[in-house]
Amino acid sequence: MHLSHAPRVPGFMMADTTPLKLPLDAIWRARTSKFGDFAGYDMPLQFEGLIPEHNWTRAHAGLFDVSHMGPSFFALPKGHGLEAEEAHKKIASLIERLVPADIQGLKPGQVRYTMITNEDGGVLDDLMIARPAEPAAAGDLYIVVNAGCKHEDWALIAQATKGEANLVRADDRCLLALQGPTAHEVAAAVIDPALAEMNFMTVKRYDAFGRITVTRSGYTGEDGYEILVRAEHAADLANALLAHAEVKPIGLGARDSLRLEAGLCLYGHDLDPKTSPIEADLAWTVQKRRREAKDFPGAKRILREYELGAARKRVGIRPNDRAPAREGVEIYKDGKKVGVVTSGGFSPILNGPISMGYVDAEFAEPGTGLELMIRGQARAATVTPLPFVPHRYHRPKKGS
C-alpha cells in the first residue's frame, strides 16, 4: 500500500524543492564541482572521472558518501523484559509483516538483504536488515532503506507495527561506503584491526570516531564496508580514510557503473511495484521458513512463481557491437518484442556496453541471441550470466 502519491523512484524530487546538502558537503566541494540532484540531495557525481574512479575501486579502495540513504534503528520499547532470543524474535516478527525474508532466523551480527513487498507480490523497496551483534542490543534491528523511498518505507513500518516498536531514523548521520580489494587493509589501519576479521553481511559497533555501526557489505561487488557515523565525527573519519594512500573519493556515476557490472538491482529501474522477487532472479531472498509459512505480503504470487517459474526473468545482456542499450530500449526476438532494458551503460572492466533487462522466460537462457532496438535500428545482443564481473566479497573459509 502506498502512503504517498509521489512515485517510488530513486532521484524523484519536487521541482520547487531545494536539494539537501550532505553532512560532508564541504569536503566534497573542495575536491569537485560536479554535483547533481539525486533523491533530494546534492550529490557529488564525479571527482577524477567515471572510468578512473571505477577502475580505482576495482583495484584499490573507493570512498563513497551514501548519506542520502535511509539508515534507521527499529527497537522494542525499553524495559520490554524479554530474554535476548525472545526479544529478537519479537522485533523480527514485526518487520516480517512487510518482508518475505526470515528475519527471526538472523544470528547475532548477521545482515540480510530483502524487500518490502505489496499484496500483489511486487517490490516496494529493497533494503538491508541487520541483527546487532551486541547482547545489550537484543530487541533491536538496524535497517537501511533506499534514499528515494525512505519516507514511505518508514511510514509503512510505523503503520504495520502500530506502536509495538519504535523506529528511530538516523539519516541525520553520515553513511560512508569504503569499497574495493584493499578496503579491509584501510579499515583495519584507520578504524580498528578487528574490521579485517568481519565476514560479508555482518554488522558490529565500534567505539571509534564516536560510536560507529559497521556492516561488511556494499553495492559494488567488491569487498568493503558501510559505516554509519554521527555527523559531528564524520569529517574526522572521512579525512582519516582519504589520507590513506589506497583511498580516493568516488562519485555517484561510478557507483552506478560498479553496481551494474556486479549485476545488482537499482530500485525504480530493475525493481518496482509490479515486479516480483522471482522475476528479478532474487528467489534466494525468500527463505524456507517464510515459504512454508506463506505469511508475507504477495505470498500467493511469489510462491506460485517460485514453484512454477515466472513468465519473465531479469537477465544480463551483452550487445554484440559498441552501441550501448540503456533503460527503456526494447528487446526483440525474431521480430517480436520479448522484453525491455532496465539498466544499461559502459563497463570499464569489460571495455564494452552491458545491460540488464527483463525478457520472456523462454529467452532467458545464457547464450540466447536477441535484438536491441536502438534508435530505430535492431542490433544483435546475447543473454549473458550475471554478474558481468565476479563478486569478491569476504566470506568465511569452509571449515572455519
Side-chain angles (χ1 to χ4, degrees):
M1 180 172 62
H2 290 204
L3 302 182
S4 166
H5 297 294
R8 301 179 67 93
V9 178
F12 174 81
M13 186 179 65
M14 298 300 289
D16 59 351
T17 300
T18 301
L20 300 172
K21 293 190 182 300
L22 300 172
L24 298 179
D25 181 78
I27 288 179
W28 309 132
R29 289 191 187 276
R31 289 165 170 80
T32 184
S33 61
K34 296 180 179 178
F35 280 71
D37 295 348
F38 185 82
Y41 286 80
D42 204 13
M43 301 284 294
L45 303 179
Q46 293 182 22
F47 292 89
E48 294 182 27
L50 188 153
I51 291 178
E53 291 171 34
H54 181 114
N55 289 337
W56 181 270
T57 304
R58 290 275 183 248
H60 302 278
L63 185 64
F64 303 75
D65 191 334
V66 291
S67 303
H68 62 305
M69 299 290 286
S72 59
F73 296 96
F74 186 54
L76 295 177
K78 291 183 178 179
H80 53 69
L82 301 175
E83 296 294 331
E85 200 59 32
E86 190 179 0
H88 170 67
K89 290 190 180 299
K90 174 62 176 177
I91 193 69
S93 69
L94 296 179
I95 204 67
E96 282 182 355
R97 295 173 183 175
L98 295 172
V99 305
D102 180 8
I103 306 304
Q104 292 186 49
L106 286 177
K107 298 175 182 178
Q110 186 179 4
V111 182
R112 185 154 278 165
Y113 170 76
T114 186
M115 283 140 279
I116 297 175
T117 49
N118 61 26
E119 292 300 331
D120 296 324
V123 177
L124 294 177
D125 197 12
D126 59 336
L127 64 157
M128 293 284 201
I129 300 179
R131 177 182 178 178
E134 297 75 24
D140 293 9
L141 294 173
Y142 173 47
I143 300 174
V144 182
V145 299
N146 273 311
C149 308
K150 61 185 179 182
H151 300 291
E152 286 185 302
D153 290 348
W154 289 333
L156 281 170
I157 292 170
Q159 183 183 68
T161 54
K162 296 181 173 64
E164 296 171 77
N166 302 314
L167 181 74
V168 178
R169 55 189 288 178
D171 60 335
D172 58 338
R173 305 186 191 187
C174 183
L175 188 62
L176 295 172
L178 181 69
Q179 300 282 291
T182 62
H184 68 289
E185 299 174 13
V186 176
V190 174
I191 300 173
D192 190 311
L195 267 75
E197 305 305 317
M198 290 181 71
N199 287 318
F200 178 59
M201 295 298 276
T202 61
V203 63
K204 193 171 181 182
R205 292 170 180 162
Y206 292 89
D207 290 320
F209 298 95
R211 191 151 197 241
I212 59 175
T213 299
V214 182
T215 60
R216 196 156 192 174
S217 62
Y219 196 46
T220 61
E222 295 292 336
D223 182 24
Y225 307 85
E226 293 192 345
I227 307 163
L228 184 69
V229 57
R230 291 188 181 277
E232 60 266 30
H233 300 290
D236 288 343
L237 175 58
N239 284 327
L241 292 169
L242 290 167
H244 197 288
E246 283 293 303
V247 179
K248 288 186 178 182
I250 311 296
L252 202 62
R255 178 174 164 85
D256 190 54
S257 59
L258 288 157
R259 73 90 192 170
L260 180 56
E261 282 187 346
L264 303 175
C265 293
L266 176 62
Y267 188 77
H269 301 262
D270 311 296
L271 296 171
D272 59 42
K274 294 183 178 179
T275 301
S276 78
I278 312 304
E279 289 178 314
D281 199 25
L282 297 172
W284 56 271
T285 64
V286 187
Q287 285 79 30
K288 182 178 179 181
R289 182 180 69 82
R290 303 305 305 279
R291 297 197 305 269
E292 291 176 345
K294 305 177 182 179
D295 60 349
F296 54 87
K300 182 176 180 180
R301 173 191 174 187
I302 291 170
L303 295 177
R304 182 182 70 246
E305 292 180 351
Y306 186 93
E307 294 296 329
L308 303 177
R312 62 179 191 143
K313 184 178 178 182
R314 180 174 64 95
V315 297
I317 301 167
R318 290 288 305 274
N320 291 4
D321 58 20
R322 303 287 291 180
R326 303 191 185 279
E327 181 179 1
V329 166
E330 294 180 339
I331 304 170
Y332 285 78
K333 177 67 175 180
D334 298 328
K336 176 187 175 184
K337 183 182 175 183
V338 297
V340 64
V341 170
T342 51
S343 286
F346 179 80
S347 164
I349 298 301
L350 300 176
N351 191 31
I354 55 174
S355 300
M356 291 194 301
Y358 287 83
V359 298
D360 295 346
E362 62 186 297
F363 305 117
E365 189 68 23
T368 302
L370 300 170
E371 298 89 42
L372 304 172
M373 194 60 65
I374 301 174
R375 292 186 290 276
Q377 181 179 355
R379 293 180 175 269
T382 305
V383 176
T384 305
L386 293 172
F388 296 104
V389 173
H391 296 161
R392 296 194 288 184
Y393 303 130
H394 180 73
R395 301 182 188 274
K397 294 179 181 178
K398 291 183 179 181
S400 63

